[in-house]
Amino acid sequence: MPIYEFLCADCLSFELILPMGTAPDVVACPTCRGDARRRITAPHISRTASSAFALIDAANRSAHEPAVVDSKKPGVRTGQTPRYTSNPLHQKLPRP
Ligand SMILES: [Zn+2]
């Protein structure tokens, strides 16, 4: 649905998402309940094929629809922990 921008004489402009062709010329301002007139603005057209917009869209989408993780983090091994030292006394140190 398109985004319509309205301007109140006393307040700032605000946007409403309405079905196409149903936006009235005047709506009530959400702040002061006065009349707010619809503004004619440039459409928000973007090049959706670029990788930058794909990344932005993915980041925005992850806020509402986080991806389900069905496997463990890559590089994490299970079982015996790797040895970082050859000193046998280090094996007696407490583990997290
Ligand atoms: Zn207002």
Side-chain angles (χ1 to χ4, degrees):
M1 284 193 279
I3 300 172
Y4 293 95
E5 184 173 344
F6 294 89
L7 179 64
C8 176
D10 300 328
C11 307
L12 299 177
S13 63
F14 59 94
E15 296 177 337
L16 292 176
I17 298 175
L18 299 168
M20 186 171 288
T22 63
D25 289 337
V26 178
V27 297
C29 173
T31 306
C32 68
R33 295 294 173 200
D35 288 343
R37 297 191 58 83
R38 188 172 76 184
R39 294 183 65 193
I40 304 297
T41 58
H44 299 281
I45 297 174
S46 65
R47 296 181 349 197
T48 57
S50 72
S51 59
F53 279 106
L55 178 63
I56 292 170
D57 288 342
N60 289 338
R61 189 172 48 250
S62 69
H64 304 287
E65 306 165 11
V68 176
V69 177
D70 56 357
S71 63
K72 293 184 177 179
K73 186 177 174 183
V76 176
R77 297 179 185 157
T78 59
Q80 189 176 17
T81 57
R83 296 184 63 168
Y84 298 107
T85 177
S86 60
N87 189 337
L89 295 177
H90 291 170
Q91 294 297 319
K92 296 180 180 179
L93 292 174
R95 303 278 176 216

